[in-house]
Amino acid sequence: MNLYEQLCNITDADKYSDVEFFYPSKLKHRHAPNQLVDDQKLSCDIVSQELDMRVEINKHDITNFKFSITYIDFIKEPFFRYDSKGVAHHNKKQNLQKGMITTPHFHKYDEEGDMYAYKTNDLISRPDEFKNVNAALYLFGEEANIIFSKGVPVVKLDETLFSLSQDPLEGITFDL
Amino acid sequence: MMCNDLWLKRIKKEFDSLWSCTVLGDTLKLTVPYVTLYNEFVDLYVTKRDNKYIVADGGQLNDFLIELKSKDNKLLNDCISLYMKEYNIHKTLGDQRLMYFKKTTDEFYLGTSVLHMSEFIKSVYSLIKIDSHQKEDKEVDTESDIFRKDATKFVNDIYGSHDNYQVSFNQRINNIKVSCEINSLKGKNLLQFITGGSEYYYRSFINNTSADFSVLNSNSAINEKIVLLDDRSDVYKKNKEQLDVYILEMASNLTRQPIFWSEKNKLTEYIPL
């Protein structure tokens, strides 16, 4: 079995967590002031090591967040991910028009190692509902086969850490 | 089959369908039909300030550079500078985010600004991907890297904390690279760790060391010139006969018989504690 077949199997397998809440308050990188993260562990019967689940949220926009699962012993990048907002993904094996997958979307690997994006029926029919981080986390748990033994965790946000402006160019001067 | 212009119509229709936009306050977020090597479409932000049209990246590019710790990468910085110069792109700092932008007073040139900014963002993102890909490849330790690490640890364990010696690694003496210097009040002792990923590299390393150490003959501050050879690597085991000839040749430029890793403790005989 190749690496990616195994990652597909882990994606499909049940994963367990007893986390009660996520509290993204740590800077993703020391020098990256815009992304707040919280990491927790997941266990999975088909692998001996624990998996890392991350909640990441943009300080400028609480509707811009990601959930991801990483199997660090296998591959550094997350193998399963939800993007609430941000750039559209290009599925290179698909027709150009159909292969443009706007956010929100999920990401996973195919068996040949290509990361592709897709939308579930819920995301197509009720996209606005999943701009809310907690609604999206519920959906993520279902799609990623995570069993939260203490119920779906709540994402706690410290509002003082956020600067809420939708327009990224607001307040910026473009003088030469 | 004859070629026909319906193909163009079809391709154009698909490309056209990729354009989209969202209004965010006073700014238009624009998705353009350009894709980076990350398989992501490029987003641009368009606004109007004092009769000038601004096409900006929204701060994403710099955020991404910071995230990947690629900020001091020369190749990337050169690429960014060249695009900025070529396409007259500027940057501005606002609320902790560095933004790249183009501006024009004439609506007539709005399309040009979008094209230039798209090309710029697409190219830099793709280059970041190429760069991080190369770094990943380099991160895997080769057999030679492991030998150097083990040899470094071995020397450091013996002399590193010894009062009479001062140990430093990867030094240059008269522009000659030496793996390790073990210095005491009596003078300098040079130690070269010799290994190689192939017979060619192993042999070149022996020859270079031989020539370098020979050049240092006149340097009276140097007491010992010693080599530590990797004899546990497959490269040495498979090419022992050929390499031993060169090692013998090198020995005349050393102050002591070459030491092999399997008998590494001899080092303390040559440089006594």
Side-chain angles (χ1 to χ4, degrees):
Chain A
M1 198 187 333
N2 77 29
L3 171 73
Y4 295 104
E5 285 167 337
Q6 178 128 13
L7 287 176
C8 293
N9 287 347
I10 298 170
T11 307
D12 293 340
D14 284 344
K15 291 169 276 293
Y16 303 90
S17 165
D18 58 2
V19 173
E20 287 174 74
F21 61 89
F22 284 94
Y23 181 54
S25 53
K26 192 176 75 182
L27 286 183
K28 187 177 180 186
H29 292 289
R30 198 152 51 93
H31 300 294
N34 300 312
Q35 300 296 112
L36 297 171
V37 297
D38 189 22
D39 295 313
Q40 300 289 346
K41 298 286 181 192
L42 299 178
S43 62
C44 179
D45 291 340
I46 64 171
V47 286
S48 51
Q49 295 90 339
E50 288 189 306
L51 309 170
D52 294 299
M53 174 168 170
R54 164 168 284 190
V55 172
E56 176 180 336
I57 191 155
N58 188 300
K59 269 167 80 168
H60 294 275
D61 184 354
I62 53 168
T63 64
N64 187 352
F65 51 85
K66 293 176 198 294
F67 306 129
S68 61
I69 309 177
T70 310
Y71 185 17
I72 198 76
D73 295 294
F74 252 36
I75 189 161
K76 271 198 300 189
E77 301 302 318
F79 65 88
F80 191 82
R81 196 173 92 217
Y82 174 79
D83 291 348
S84 75
K85 217 171 177 176
V87 291
H89 192 86
H90 165 56
N91 286 348
K92 58 189 177 191
K93 288 175 180 164
Q94 269 178 292
N95 159 281
L96 184 58
Q97 191 174 348
K98 290 202 164 70
M100 182 195 213
I101 314 294
T102 55
T103 47
H105 57 215
F106 288 100
H107 277 280
K108 62 178 168 186
Y109 279 110
D110 67 14
E111 292 179 356
E112 289 166 351
D114 283 315
M115 198 44 137
Y116 68 98
Y118 67 99
K119 284 176 187 280
T120 59
N121 289 335
D122 286 329
L123 290 181
I124 294 166
S125 57
R126 293 171 288 142
D128 287 343
E129 194 177 319
F130 302 105
K131 285 178 180 168
N132 177 290
V133 69
N134 285 302
L137 184 57
Y138 182 85
L139 192 68
F140 183 80
E142 284 193 340
E143 191 61 20
N145 304 303
I146 303 170
I147 295 161
F148 292 109
S149 60
K150 295 184 178 160
V152 178
V154 176
V155 181
K156 292 185 178 179
L157 299 176
D158 180 352
E159 303 267 336
T160 60
L161 295 174
F162 291 84
S163 61
L164 299 174
S165 163
Q166 259 209 316
D167 177 355
L169 307 192
E170 194 181 300
I172 291 175
T173 46
F174 292 98
D175 295 332
L176 299 184
Chain B
M1 192 168 82
M2 293 288 288
C3 64
N4 65 68
D5 62 358
L6 286 176
W7 296 355
L8 174 65
K9 284 192 180 123
R10 182 186 169 89
I11 294 165
K12 269 184 77 174
K13 191 174 152 247
E14 282 187 31
F15 268 79
D16 285 350
S17 72
L18 302 179
W19 290 93
S20 68
C21 68
T22 323
V23 177
L24 305 170
D26 292 330
T27 297
L28 188 71
K29 187 184 104 175
L30 193 66
T31 300
V32 296
Y34 281 81
V35 176
T36 69
L37 268 182
Y38 287 95
N39 294 316
E40 286 173 351
F41 284 89
V42 172
D43 281 349
L44 296 173
Y45 297 84
V46 185
T47 192
K48 199 176 177 185
R49 298 277 169 83
D50 306 329
N51 294 324
K52 292 188 187 81
Y53 293 94
I54 307 288
V55 180
D57 78 317
Q60 307 155 55
L61 183 59
N62 195 59
D63 283 358
F64 196 59
L65 285 169
I66 293 170
E67 196 178 314
L68 290 186
K69 301 178 184 123
S70 299
K71 277 218 65 118
D72 300 320
N73 184 303
K74 188 175 181 303
L75 183 64
L76 283 171
N77 290 339
D78 288 353
C79 172
I80 290 170
S81 308
L82 187 60
Y83 267 99
M84 288 176 74
K85 184 165 164 267
E86 200 65 33
Y87 289 155
N88 202 20
I89 294 165
H90 303 276
K91 56 185 177 186
T92 182
L93 185 69
D95 190 23
Q96 297 182 318
R97 304 184 95 188
L98 184 72
M99 281 193 201
Y100 294 93
F101 69 98
K102 242 188 108 101
K103 74 177 183 181
T104 174
T105 46
D106 195 339
E107 206 180 283
F108 189 64
Y109 294 110
L110 200 49
T112 313
S113 293
V114 168
L115 175 82
H116 289 174
M117 284 300 292
S118 307
E119 271 295 335
F120 168 61
I121 294 169
K122 186 200 80 171
S123 305
V124 177
Y125 267 86
S126 295
L127 192 63
I128 296 171
K129 168 107 179 192
I130 294 166
D131 183 60
S132 52
H133 200 72
Q134 283 174 338
K135 266 190 217 144
E136 267 172 38
D137 285 348
K138 277 184 204 149
E139 274 170 17
V140 179
D141 274 355
T142 61
E143 214 175 14
S144 308
D145 291 333
I146 295 167
F147 174 72
R148 277 187 279 268
K149 278 185 188 167
D150 288 350
T152 302
K153 186 177 183 303
F154 169 69
V155 173
N156 219 1
D157 284 350
I158 299 174
Y159 300 100
S161 56
H162 201 284
D163 290 341
N164 298 340
Y165 292 102
Q166 205 175 6
V167 184
S168 47
F169 297 94
N170 300 318
Q171 295 298 303
R172 273 178 186 275
I173 297 165
N174 304 346
N175 225 15
I176 288 168
K177 270 174 148 177
V178 181
S179 313
C180 174
E181 260 187 61
I182 307 170
N183 297 336
S184 70
L185 290 172
K186 290 175 193 160
K188 286 177 189 285
N189 301 302
L190 308 185
L191 178 61
Q192 193 77 290
F193 305 147
I194 296 181
T195 182
S198 68
E199 191 269 337
Y200 171 79
Y201 282 113
Y202 204 118
R203 178 158 46 85
S204 303
F205 204 163
I206 294 169
N207 291 339
N208 284 341
T209 304
S210 182
D212 288 346
F213 277 9
S214 150
V215 168
L216 290 173
N217 265 343
S218 57
N219 192 330
S220 60
I222 298 167
N223 282 350
E224 303 285 2
K225 288 178 287 186
I226 307 170
V227 297
L228 181 59
L229 292 142
D230 182 6
D231 62 349
R232 65 182 184 185
S233 80
D234 285 341
V235 175
Y236 178 78
K237 285 177 193 160
K238 282 185 190 146
N239 303 285
K240 187 176 182 317
E241 272 178 41
Q242 298 103 290
L243 291 172
D244 279 349
V245 178
Y246 288 91
I247 292 168
L248 194 67
E249 196 62 33
M250 170 178 63
S252 61
N253 290 319
L254 306 173
T255 55
R256 302 282 187 165
Q257 279 301 306
I259 308 170
F260 286 99
W261 179 253
S262 54
E263 46 182 30
K264 55 186 178 294
N265 290 327
K266 273 190 185 169
L267 184 64
T268 52
E269 293 172 26
Y270 299 163
I271 307 174
L273 288 167

PDB file of all heavy atoms in Angstrom, chain B residues 64-91:
ATOM      1  N   PHE B  64       2.154  34.948   3.689  1.00  0.00           N
ATOM      2  CA  PHE B  64       2.588  33.608   3.302  1.00  0.00           C
ATOM      3  C   PHE B  64       4.105  33.477   3.390  1.00  0.00           C
ATOM      4  O   PHE B  64       4.627  32.461   3.834  1.00  0.00           O
ATOM      5  CB  PHE B  64       2.099  33.317   1.889  1.00  0.00           C
ATOM      6  CG  PHE B  64       2.144  31.869   1.521  1.00  0.00           C
ATOM      7  CD1 PHE B  64       1.445  30.940   2.267  1.00  0.00           C
ATOM      8  CD2 PHE B  64       2.890  31.435   0.442  1.00  0.00           C
ATOM      9  CE1 PHE B  64       1.494  29.595   1.946  1.00  0.00           C
ATOM     10  CE2 PHE B  64       2.938  30.090   0.102  1.00  0.00           C
ATOM     11  CZ  PHE B  64       2.237  29.171   0.857  1.00  0.00           C
ATOM     12  N   LEU B  65       4.803  34.540   2.975  1.00  0.00           N
ATOM     13  CA  LEU B  65       6.262  34.532   3.065  1.00  0.00           C
ATOM     14  C   LEU B  65       6.710  34.407   4.520  1.00  0.00           C
ATOM     15  O   LEU B  65       7.648  33.676   4.839  1.00  0.00           O
ATOM     16  CB  LEU B  65       6.842  35.822   2.468  1.00  0.00           C
ATOM     17  CG  LEU B  65       6.838  35.920   0.950  1.00  0.00           C
ATOM     18  CD1 LEU B  65       7.171  37.328   0.505  1.00  0.00           C
ATOM     19  CD2 LEU B  65       7.846  34.945   0.358  1.00  0.00           C
ATOM     20  N   ILE B  66       6.014  35.111   5.410  1.00  0.00           N
ATOM     21  CA  ILE B  66       6.353  35.056   6.827  1.00  0.00           C
ATOM     22  C   ILE B  66       6.086  33.651   7.358  1.00  0.00           C
ATOM     23  O   ILE B  66       6.909  33.063   8.046  1.00  0.00           O
ATOM     24  CB  ILE B  66       5.532  36.084   7.635  1.00  0.00           C
ATOM     25  CG1 ILE B  66       5.924  37.510   7.249  1.00  0.00           C
ATOM     26  CG2 ILE B  66       5.729  35.879   9.136  1.00  0.00           C
ATOM     27  CD1 ILE B  66       5.010  38.572   7.815  1.00  0.00           C
ATOM     28  N   GLU B  67       4.924  33.120   6.983  1.00  0.00           N
ATOM     29  CA  GLU B  67       4.524  31.806   7.479  1.00  0.00           C
ATOM     30  C   GLU B  67       5.545  30.738   7.100  1.00  0.00           C
ATOM     31  O   GLU B  67       5.867  29.855   7.882  1.00  0.00           O
ATOM     32  CB  GLU B  67       3.157  31.470   6.896  1.00  0.00           C
ATOM     33  CG  GLU B  67       2.478  30.340   7.607  1.00  0.00           C
ATOM     34  CD  GLU B  67       1.100  30.076   7.019  1.00  0.00           C
ATOM     35  OE1 GLU B  67       0.351  31.045   6.804  1.00  0.00           O
ATOM     36  OE2 GLU B  67       0.803  28.910   6.764  1.00  0.00           O
ATOM     37  N   LEU B  68       6.061  30.828   5.887  1.00  0.00           N
ATOM     38  CA  LEU B  68       7.017  29.818   5.439  1.00  0.00           C
ATOM     39  C   LEU B  68       8.455  30.198   5.764  1.00  0.00           C
ATOM     40  O   LEU B  68       9.384  29.552   5.324  1.00  0.00           O
ATOM     41  CB  LEU B  68       6.876  29.587   3.942  1.00  0.00           C
ATOM     42  CG  LEU B  68       5.602  28.871   3.512  1.00  0.00           C
ATOM     43  CD1 LEU B  68       5.658  28.566   2.044  1.00  0.00           C
ATOM     44  CD2 LEU B  68       5.401  27.587   4.295  1.00  0.00           C
ATOM     45  N   LYS B  69       8.628  31.277   6.526  1.00  0.00           N
ATOM     46  CA  LYS B  69       9.956  31.757   6.897  1.00  0.00           C
ATOM     47  C   LYS B  69      10.840  31.953   5.679  1.00  0.00           C
ATOM     48  O   LYS B  69      12.026  31.655   5.676  1.00  0.00           O
ATOM     49  CB  LYS B  69      10.628  30.781   7.874  1.00  0.00           C
ATOM     50  CG  LYS B  69       9.823  30.580   9.144  1.00  0.00           C
ATOM     51  CD  LYS B  69      10.528  29.567  10.048  1.00  0.00           C
ATOM     52  CE  LYS B  69       9.708  29.261  11.264  1.00  0.00           C
ATOM     53  NZ  LYS B  69       9.389  27.861  11.435  1.00  0.00           N
ATOM     54  N   SER B  70      10.246  32.421   4.581  1.00  0.00           N
ATOM     55  CA  SER B  70      11.008  32.620   3.347  1.00  0.00           C
ATOM     56  C   SER B  70      11.395  34.076   3.151  1.00  0.00           C
ATOM     57  O   SER B  70      11.755  34.486   2.067  1.00  0.00           O
ATOM     58  CB  SER B  70      10.179  32.167   2.144  1.00  0.00           C
ATOM     59  OG  SER B  70       9.883  30.817   2.244  1.00  0.00           O
ATOM     60  N   LYS B  71      11.295  34.863   4.198  1.00  0.00           N
ATOM     61  CA  LYS B  71      11.471  36.307   4.061  1.00  0.00           C
ATOM     62  C   LYS B  71      12.878  36.721   3.638  1.00  0.00           C
ATOM     63  O   LYS B  71      13.051  37.701   2.949  1.00  0.00           O
ATOM     64  CB  LYS B  71      11.105  37.006   5.378  1.00  0.00           C
ATOM     65  CG  LYS B  71       9.625  37.230   5.507  1.00  0.00           C
ATOM     66  CD  LYS B  71       9.315  38.557   6.152  1.00  0.00           C
ATOM     67  CE  LYS B  71       9.744  39.716   5.343  1.00  0.00           C
ATOM     68  NZ  LYS B  71       8.754  40.603   4.888  1.00  0.00           N
ATOM     69  N   ASP B  72      13.879  35.951   4.073  1.00  0.00           N
ATOM     70  CA  ASP B  72      15.250  36.353   3.763  1.00  0.00           C
ATOM     71  C   ASP B  72      15.844  35.562   2.617  1.00  0.00           C
ATOM     72  O   ASP B  72      17.044  35.504   2.442  1.00  0.00           O
ATOM     73  CB  ASP B  72      16.128  36.193   5.016  1.00  0.00           C
ATOM     74  CG  ASP B  72      15.612  37.056   6.141  1.00  0.00           C
ATOM     75  OD1 ASP B  72      15.205  38.192   5.849  1.00  0.00           O
ATOM     76  OD2 ASP B  72      15.600  36.594   7.296  1.00  0.00           O
ATOM     77  N   ASN B  73      14.952  34.963   1.833  1.00  0.00           N
ATOM     78  CA  ASN B  73      15.424  34.158   0.729  1.00  0.00           C
ATOM     79  C   ASN B  73      15.824  35.050  -0.448  1.00  0.00           C
ATOM     80  O   ASN B  73      15.022  35.810  -0.976  1.00  0.00           O
ATOM     81  CB  ASN B  73      14.286  33.212   0.334  1.00  0.00           C
ATOM     82  CG  ASN B  73      14.687  32.257  -0.733  1.00  0.00           C
ATOM     83  OD1 ASN B  73      15.109  32.665  -1.800  1.00  0.00           O
ATOM     84  ND2 ASN B  73      14.559  30.997  -0.436  1.00  0.00           N
ATOM     85  N   LYS B  74      17.075  34.930  -0.861  1.00  0.00           N
ATOM     86  CA  LYS B  74      17.589  35.837  -1.886  1.00  0.00           C
ATOM     87  C   LYS B  74      16.864  35.674  -3.217  1.00  0.00           C
ATOM     88  O   LYS B  74      16.473  36.645  -3.858  1.00  0.00           O
ATOM     89  CB  LYS B  74      19.096  35.600  -2.076  1.00  0.00           C
ATOM     90  CG  LYS B  74      19.711  36.635  -2.991  1.00  0.00           C
ATOM     91  CD  LYS B  74      21.210  36.502  -3.100  1.00  0.00           C
ATOM     92  CE  LYS B  74      21.774  37.584  -4.005  1.00  0.00           C
ATOM     93  NZ  LYS B  74      21.201  37.609  -5.345  1.00  0.00           N
ATOM     94  N   LEU B  75      16.667  34.454  -3.613  1.00  0.00           N
ATOM     95  CA  LEU B  75      16.016  34.190  -4.898  1.00  0.00           C
ATOM     96  C   LEU B  75      14.621  34.814  -4.933  1.00  0.00           C
ATOM     97  O   LEU B  75      14.236  35.478  -5.900  1.00  0.00           O
ATOM     98  CB  LEU B  75      15.924  32.680  -5.122  1.00  0.00           C
ATOM     99  CG  LEU B  75      15.332  32.213  -6.447  1.00  0.00           C
ATOM    100  CD1 LEU B  75      16.203  32.636  -7.606  1.00  0.00           C
ATOM    101  CD2 LEU B  75      15.147  30.705  -6.453  1.00  0.00           C
ATOM    102  N   LEU B  76      13.865  34.617  -3.835  1.00  0.00           N
ATOM    103  CA  LEU B  76      12.514  35.170  -3.776  1.00  0.00           C
ATOM    104  C   LEU B  76      12.538  36.695  -3.769  1.00  0.00           C
ATOM    105  O   LEU B  76      11.760  37.336  -4.472  1.00  0.00           O
ATOM    106  CB  LEU B  76      11.790  34.674  -2.531  1.00  0.00           C
ATOM    107  CG  LEU B  76      11.264  33.247  -2.602  1.00  0.00           C
ATOM    108  CD1 LEU B  76      10.763  32.792  -1.248  1.00  0.00           C
ATOM    109  CD2 LEU B  76      10.153  33.164  -3.628  1.00  0.00           C
ATOM    110  N   ASN B  77      13.455  37.249  -2.978  1.00  0.00           N
ATOM    111  CA  ASN B  77      13.539  38.708  -2.919  1.00  0.00           C
ATOM    112  C   ASN B  77      13.915  39.303  -4.279  1.00  0.00           C
ATOM    113  O   ASN B  77      13.373  40.327  -4.683  1.00  0.00           O
ATOM    114  CB  ASN B  77      14.545  39.144  -1.850  1.00  0.00           C
ATOM    115  CG  ASN B  77      14.010  38.852  -0.457  1.00  0.00           C
ATOM    116  OD1 ASN B  77      12.803  38.703  -0.282  1.00  0.00           O
ATOM    117  ND2 ASN B  77      14.890  38.758   0.509  1.00  0.00           N
ATOM    118  N   ASP B  78      14.834  38.635  -4.983  1.00  0.00           N
ATOM    119  CA  ASP B  78      15.215  39.103  -6.316  1.00  0.00           C
ATOM    120  C   ASP B  78      14.031  39.044  -7.262  1.00  0.00           C
ATOM    121  O   ASP B  78      13.802  39.952  -8.060  1.00  0.00           O
ATOM    122  CB  ASP B  78      16.364  38.249  -6.873  1.00  0.00           C
ATOM    123  CG  ASP B  78      17.680  38.537  -6.175  1.00  0.00           C
ATOM    124  OD1 ASP B  78      17.714  39.495  -5.365  1.00  0.00           O
ATOM    125  OD2 ASP B  78      18.652  37.815  -6.431  1.00  0.00           O
ATOM    126  N   CYS B  79      13.291  37.943  -7.174  1.00  0.00           N
ATOM    127  CA  CYS B  79      12.131  37.759  -8.043  1.00  0.00           C
ATOM    128  C   CYS B  79      11.098  38.863  -7.773  1.00  0.00           C
ATOM    129  O   CYS B  79      10.586  39.491  -8.706  1.00  0.00           O
ATOM    130  CB  CYS B  79      11.548  36.373  -7.780  1.00  0.00           C
ATOM    131  SG  CYS B  79       9.992  36.062  -8.608  1.00  0.00           S
ATOM    132  N   ILE B  80      10.843  39.124  -6.500  1.00  0.00           N
ATOM    133  CA  ILE B  80       9.876  40.156  -6.135  1.00  0.00           C
ATOM    134  C   ILE B  80      10.352  41.526  -6.638  1.00  0.00           C
ATOM    135  O   ILE B  80       9.590  42.259  -7.267  1.00  0.00           O
ATOM    136  CB  ILE B  80       9.647  40.168  -4.603  1.00  0.00           C
ATOM    137  CG1 ILE B  80       8.893  38.902  -4.183  1.00  0.00           C
ATOM    138  CG2 ILE B  80       8.870  41.409  -4.167  1.00  0.00           C
ATOM    139  CD1 ILE B  80       8.816  38.667  -2.685  1.00  0.00           C
ATOM    140  N   SER B  81      11.626  41.833  -6.409  1.00  0.00           N
ATOM    141  CA  SER B  81      12.154  43.133  -6.848  1.00  0.00           C
ATOM    142  C   SER B  81      12.041  43.309  -8.353  1.00  0.00           C
ATOM    143  O   SER B  81      11.688  44.373  -8.849  1.00  0.00           O
ATOM    144  CB  SER B  81      13.630  43.277  -6.491  1.00  0.00           C
ATOM    145  OG  SER B  81      13.823  43.013  -5.163  1.00  0.00           O
ATOM    146  N   LEU B  82      12.353  42.238  -9.079  1.00  0.00           N
ATOM    147  CA  LEU B  82      12.334  42.330 -10.539  1.00  0.00           C
ATOM    148  C   LEU B  82      10.906  42.584 -11.039  1.00  0.00           C
ATOM    149  O   LEU B  82      10.682  43.438 -11.900  1.00  0.00           O
ATOM    150  CB  LEU B  82      12.906  41.049 -11.148  1.00  0.00           C
ATOM    151  CG  LEU B  82      13.097  41.071 -12.664  1.00  0.00           C
ATOM    152  CD1 LEU B  82      14.060  42.186 -13.068  1.00  0.00           C
ATOM    153  CD2 LEU B  82      13.630  39.733 -13.153  1.00  0.00           C
ATOM    154  N   TYR B  83       9.950  41.860 -10.493  1.00  0.00           N
ATOM    155  CA  TYR B  83       8.551  42.072 -10.890  1.00  0.00           C
ATOM    156  C   TYR B  83       8.095  43.482 -10.546  1.00  0.00           C
ATOM    157  O   TYR B  83       7.397  44.133 -11.319  1.00  0.00           O
ATOM    158  CB  TYR B  83       7.628  41.056 -10.210  1.00  0.00           C
ATOM    159  CG  TYR B  83       7.404  39.828 -11.053  1.00  0.00           C
ATOM    160  CD1 TYR B  83       8.123  38.666 -10.824  1.00  0.00           C
ATOM    161  CD2 TYR B  83       6.496  39.842 -12.102  1.00  0.00           C
ATOM    162  CE1 TYR B  83       7.944  37.545 -11.614  1.00  0.00           C
ATOM    163  CE2 TYR B  83       6.303  38.733 -12.903  1.00  0.00           C
ATOM    164  CZ  TYR B  83       7.027  37.580 -12.651  1.00  0.00           C
ATOM    165  OH  TYR B  83       6.850  36.485 -13.433  1.00  0.00           O
ATOM    166  N   MET B  84       8.499  43.946  -9.354  1.00  0.00           N
ATOM    167  CA  MET B  84       8.084  45.284  -8.925  1.00  0.00           C
ATOM    168  C   MET B  84       8.611  46.336  -9.890  1.00  0.00           C
ATOM    169  O   MET B  84       7.907  47.271 -10.253  1.00  0.00           O
ATOM    170  CB  MET B  84       8.556  45.561  -7.497  1.00  0.00           C
ATOM    171  CG  MET B  84       7.777  44.751  -6.459  1.00  0.00           C
ATOM    172  SD  MET B  84       8.405  44.991  -4.794  1.00  0.00           S
ATOM    173  CE  MET B  84       7.807  46.629  -4.443  1.00  0.00           C
ATOM    174  N   LYS B  85       9.864  46.141 -10.305  1.00  0.00           N
ATOM    175  CA  LYS B  85      10.489  47.096 -11.207  1.00  0.00           C
ATOM    176  C   LYS B  85       9.850  46.996 -12.597  1.00  0.00           C
ATOM    177  O   LYS B  85       9.461  48.002 -13.191  1.00  0.00           O
ATOM    178  CB  LYS B  85      11.992  46.762 -11.281  1.00  0.00           C
ATOM    179  CG  LYS B  85      12.813  47.700 -12.098  1.00  0.00           C
ATOM    180  CD  LYS B  85      14.304  47.483 -11.791  1.00  0.00           C
ATOM    181  CE  LYS B  85      15.166  48.126 -12.847  1.00  0.00           C
ATOM    182  NZ  LYS B  85      15.542  47.192 -13.932  1.00  0.00           N
ATOM    183  N   GLU B  86       9.742  45.775 -13.081  1.00  0.00           N
ATOM    184  CA  GLU B  86       9.242  45.534 -14.441  1.00  0.00           C
ATOM    185  C   GLU B  86       7.800  46.021 -14.617  1.00  0.00           C
ATOM    186  O   GLU B  86       7.447  46.588 -15.630  1.00  0.00           O
ATOM    187  CB  GLU B  86       9.351  44.033 -14.715  1.00  0.00           C
ATOM    188  CG  GLU B  86       9.352  43.625 -16.158  1.00  0.00           C
ATOM    189  CD  GLU B  86      10.567  44.133 -16.922  1.00  0.00           C
ATOM    190  OE1 GLU B  86      11.673  44.239 -16.335  1.00  0.00           O
ATOM    191  OE2 GLU B  86      10.394  44.425 -18.103  1.00  0.00           O
ATOM    192  N   TYR B  87       6.970  45.753 -13.618  1.00  0.00           N
ATOM    193  CA  TYR B  87       5.540  46.063 -13.732  1.00  0.00           C
ATOM    194  C   TYR B  87       5.134  47.281 -12.900  1.00  0.00           C
ATOM    195  O   TYR B  87       3.948  47.538 -12.741  1.00  0.00           O
ATOM    196  CB  TYR B  87       4.704  44.848 -13.309  1.00  0.00           C
ATOM    197  CG  TYR B  87       4.741  43.693 -14.281  1.00  0.00           C
ATOM    198  CD1 TYR B  87       4.505  42.390 -13.847  1.00  0.00           C
ATOM    199  CD2 TYR B  87       4.992  43.894 -15.641  1.00  0.00           C
ATOM    200  CE1 TYR B  87       4.527  41.326 -14.733  1.00  0.00           C
ATOM    201  CE2 TYR B  87       5.017  42.823 -16.531  1.00  0.00           C
ATOM    202  CZ  TYR B  87       4.787  41.548 -16.066  1.00  0.00           C
ATOM    203  OH  TYR B  87       4.804  40.496 -16.950  1.00  0.00           O
ATOM    204  N   ASN B  88       6.115  47.982 -12.355  1.00  0.00           N
ATOM    205  CA  ASN B  88       5.826  49.189 -11.577  1.00  0.00           C
ATOM    206  C   ASN B  88       4.861  48.907 -10.417  1.00  0.00           C
ATOM    207  O   ASN B  88       3.845  49.581 -10.242  1.00  0.00           O
ATOM    208  CB  ASN B  88       5.273  50.281 -12.508  1.00  0.00           C
ATOM    209  CG  ASN B  88       5.440  51.658 -11.922  1.00  0.00           C
ATOM    210  OD1 ASN B  88       6.273  51.856 -11.031  1.00  0.00           O
ATOM    211  ND2 ASN B  88       4.637  52.603 -12.373  1.00  0.00           N
ATOM    212  N   ILE B  89       5.204  47.886  -9.647  1.00  0.00           N
ATOM    213  CA  ILE B  89       4.390  47.504  -8.487  1.00  0.00           C
ATOM    214  C   ILE B  89       5.003  48.138  -7.240  1.00  0.00           C
ATOM    215  O   ILE B  89       6.234  48.225  -7.118  1.00  0.00           O
ATOM    216  CB  ILE B  89       4.346  45.957  -8.350  1.00  0.00           C
ATOM    217  CG1 ILE B  89       3.594  45.352  -9.552  1.00  0.00           C
ATOM    218  CG2 ILE B  89       3.706  45.521  -7.038  1.00  0.00           C
ATOM    219  CD1 ILE B  89       3.781  43.871  -9.716  1.00  0.00           C
ATOM    220  N   HIS B  90       4.164  48.595  -6.327  1.00  0.00           N
ATOM    221  CA  HIS B  90       4.654  49.233  -5.104  1.00  0.00           C
ATOM    222  C   HIS B  90       4.220  48.431  -3.894  1.00  0.00           C
ATOM    223  O   HIS B  90       3.413  47.522  -4.000  1.00  0.00           O
ATOM    224  CB  HIS B  90       4.093  50.653  -5.005  1.00  0.00           C
ATOM    225  CG  HIS B  90       4.424  51.480  -6.183  1.00  0.00           C
ATOM    226  ND1 HIS B  90       5.614  52.154  -6.307  1.00  0.00           N
ATOM    227  CD2 HIS B  90       3.735  51.722  -7.332  1.00  0.00           C
ATOM    228  CE1 HIS B  90       5.639  52.770  -7.471  1.00  0.00           C
ATOM    229  NE2 HIS B  90       4.510  52.531  -8.110  1.00  0.00           N
ATOM    230  N   LYS B  91       4.779  48.816  -2.738  1.00  0.00           N
ATOM    231  CA  LYS B  91       4.308  48.171  -1.512  1.00  0.00           C
ATOM    232  C   LYS B  91       4.014  49.217  -0.446  1.00  0.00           C
ATOM    233  O   LYS B  91       4.580  50.316  -0.456  1.00  0.00           O
ATOM    234  CB  LYS B  91       5.294  47.119  -1.012  1.00  0.00           C
ATOM    235  CG  LYS B  91       6.695  47.603  -0.767  1.00  0.00           C
ATOM    236  CD  LYS B  91       7.602  46.431  -0.401  1.00  0.00           C
ATOM    237  CE  LYS B  91       9.031  46.889  -0.232  1.00  0.00           C
ATOM    238  NZ  LYS B  91       9.957  45.772  -0.023  1.00  0.00           N
TER     239      LYS B  91
END
